[in-house]
Amino acid sequence: MKLRLVTALREFDALAPIWAEVAREAGQTSPFLSHDWFACCWRTAGPLKRREVWLLEDAAGPVALLPLAYGRSTIRGIPVRVLSFLDAPDTPLADFLVTRGHDEVVAALAEALRARRDWDLLRLAKLPAEGATAKALQAGLGADFPGRLVARESSPYLALDGTWEQFFRSRSQRFRKTCRNIENRIHRRGALDVEEHRWVDPDGPIFRDLIEVSLASWKAEQGVALATMDGMPRFFRELTQRASAQGWLRLWILRLEGRAVATEYQLAAGDTVHALRADYDAALAEVSPGAYLNLEIVRRLFAAPGVRVYDMGPGANEYKLRWASGARELVTLAFYAPTLAGRLLRGLETRLVPLARRWRDRLRRVAA
C-alpha cells in the first residue's frame, strides 16, 4: 500500500474530489468527516501544529484518508512529540475514512510509524468505540507500539420517535413541571421569537448576533466561548460559509423583545441534527433562555420532516441526560513510540500514576 503525505494547504484543497469519493465508498455521510470540516480545522489549527493528511492507495485507487496533526506538548512534565487527529475544540467525533480493509490500513499506518523517529505519542480522541477503526487500532498497533485506553466518553442523543406530545407525556411529572416553569418565567419578560437560519453570511447581522450572545455568556469570562477561544471565531466563520453552501447549517436564535439572548449552532446531515455550540446571555440566567430555546428546538425537531435523531454532543451532563433516550460511546486511545520520551510517558501513565491513585484512595479510606 502506497502512502502519500499531504502537508501543504494547496495540496489539501486539491484533495476535495478524492475526499468525496473516499467518503462515498466508505459510506460516510457525517459532516465531521468531510473535506469541508477538515478544511476548517486545517485553517485554524494554529502555527504550532503541522497538518498531515495521510492518503493510502493501492493498485485500485485511494483506500483511506487519515487526517492528522503533529505538534509538541508537555505531558506529566515530559516534553513529547504528539501525533493526533486534525480537529477543533468542538469536534464531536473523529475517525479515519476507510473504503476497505481496516486491518490493512492499520498495518500500513504501523509501517509508516516504524519508519519515523520524530514522534513519541499517537493520541486519537473521540473515536466511536464500536467502530472498525478503534477495533483495528487496538488489535493492530499494540505489537509495535504499546497502547492503552485513555478515556471513555458518552455522547447523548434523543431519538425523535412519535410526536412531541407523546414524548412529553412519557416524561416524569417533575420534568414536565420544569419545562412549564421555564416557559412561564421567560414569557413574563416580554415578546419571544425563535428563528432557524439555514444560510448565514459570516459578515452579516445574524452571525454578529451569534458572536454577541457568545460574548455575553458565562463562557466568555472563562475564555471558552466561541467568541473568545483562540481561533474559534475564524473556525466558525469558515464553517458557517461551508455549512451554508452544503445545506448542513441550522443556526437557532432566541430573541427577547427583538434582541438575541440565546443561540444553538447545529449541523444536519441525513436524518441527524448535531448540536455543536449553545450559548445564552448570562444577564438573563434567572429566566433560563438557553433552556427555553432548547425546549423549543426539540419541540420543533419532532415535527421536522426526515429528522430522526437529535445528537447533543459529547459530555453526559445532567441537563442532556434529562432529554436523552440513549448515548454513543467515544474512546481516546494512546500508543507510545519506542523513544525515551515515549517509554517514560508510558511508564508514568501505566504504572506510577495508577499506583499513586491507589495510595491516595487508600489514605482517604483510612482517614474516613
Side-chain angles (χ1 to χ4, degrees), residues 39-333:
C40 299
C41 296
W42 185 296
R43 284 166 167 79
T44 57
L48 300 182
K49 282 191 176 181
R50 184 175 75 215
R51 293 73 155 165
E52 298 188 0
V53 171
W54 297 22
L55 172 60
L56 297 174
E57 302 172 289
D58 63 12
V63 175
L65 284 158
L66 283 56
L68 301 173
Y70 174 90
R72 295 176 181 270
S73 183
T74 300
I75 303 175
R76 303 199 185 280
I78 301 173
V80 292
R81 299 162 299 176
V82 183
L83 275 169
S84 60
F85 276 121
L86 175 61
D87 61 7
D90 289 298
T91 296
L93 64 88
D95 207 342
F96 296 153
L97 276 171
V98 180
T99 62
R100 57 190 180 277
H102 279 79
D103 292 339
E104 290 78 6
V105 168
V106 169
L109 170 64
E111 182 181 356
L113 290 174
R114 283 194 296 269
R116 291 178 62 156
R117 297 291 183 269
D118 65 343
W119 69 283
D120 305 302
L121 173 67
L122 172 64
R123 191 178 191 276
L124 300 174
K126 296 183 179 177
L127 275 163
E130 298 302 316
T133 300
K135 293 177 181 178
L137 284 168
Q138 292 177 91
L141 282 188
D144 293 294
F145 312 106
R148 71 185 186 98
L149 175 64
V150 176
R152 294 181 184 273
E153 187 174 15
S154 291
S155 184
Y157 65 87
L158 171 61
L160 300 167
D161 299 324
T163 65
W164 162 257
E165 290 74 18
Q166 291 168 334
F167 167 78
F168 194 63
R169 285 197 301 269
S170 73
R171 313 309 282 178
S172 68
Q173 182 178 353
R174 181 179 179 183
F175 177 89
R176 298 196 301 270
K177 182 178 179 181
T178 298
C179 290
R180 294 187 185 105
N181 287 340
I182 289 170
E183 291 178 303
N184 292 336
R185 282 199 305 269
I186 196 165
H187 274 287
R188 286 195 290 266
R189 295 295 294 266
L192 298 172
D193 188 25
V194 175
E195 303 170 355
E196 180 191 10
H197 298 274
R198 300 195 176 193
W199 187 91
V200 172
D201 178 1
D203 294 315
I206 300 302
F207 192 83
R208 285 197 295 273
D209 286 335
L210 175 73
I211 296 296
E212 287 172 8
V213 172
S214 177
L215 287 170
S217 73
W218 62 267
K219 299 174 187 175
E221 291 185 0
Q222 299 185 14
V224 295
L226 181 158
T228 59
M229 286 183 69
D230 188 32
M232 282 299 94
R234 184 182 176 193
F235 176 86
F236 275 94
R237 286 179 62 85
E238 186 80 27
L239 179 61
T240 297
Q241 184 175 12
R242 291 172 180 271
S244 294
Q246 293 287 356
W248 296 333
L249 183 64
R250 306 289 187 271
L251 175 57
W252 296 82
I253 297 179
L254 171 65
R255 297 187 186 276
L256 175 60
E257 295 293 330
R259 184 172 68 89
V261 296
T263 61
E264 181 163 309
Y265 194 109
Q266 303 172 344
L267 295 186
D271 64 356
T272 302
V273 170
H274 305 269
L276 279 188
R277 277 269 171 167
D279 285 304
Y280 65 86
D281 187 338
L284 294 168
E286 76 279 3
V287 294
S288 306
Y292 176 80
L293 177 59
N294 187 240
L295 171 63
E296 280 297 305
I297 288 172
V298 174
R299 194 197 315 265
R300 296 183 188 202
L301 287 179
F302 267 98
V307 180
R308 295 290 177 266
V309 179
Y310 175 41
D311 189 330
M312 292 177 275
N317 62 49
E318 183 181 353
Y319 181 79
K320 289 181 183 179
L321 294 178
R322 291 178 189 172
W323 292 95
S325 55
R328 298 180 181 88
E329 187 178 49
L330 306 174
V331 295
T332 298
L333 303 178

Side-chain angles (χ1 to χ4, degrees), residues 75-80 119-122 141-150 334-355 357:
I75 303 175
R76 303 199 185 280
I78 301 173
V80 292
W119 69 283
D120 305 302
L121 173 67
L122 172 64
L141 282 188
D144 293 294
F145 312 106
R148 71 185 186 98
L149 175 64
V150 176
F335 299 91
Y336 303 91
T339 59
L340 177 59
R343 290 191 177 100
L344 282 172
L345 184 61
R346 177 178 171 241
L348 277 172
E349 294 194 326
T350 61
R351 296 186 182 92
L352 294 183
V353 171
L355 179 62
R357 286 173 178 163

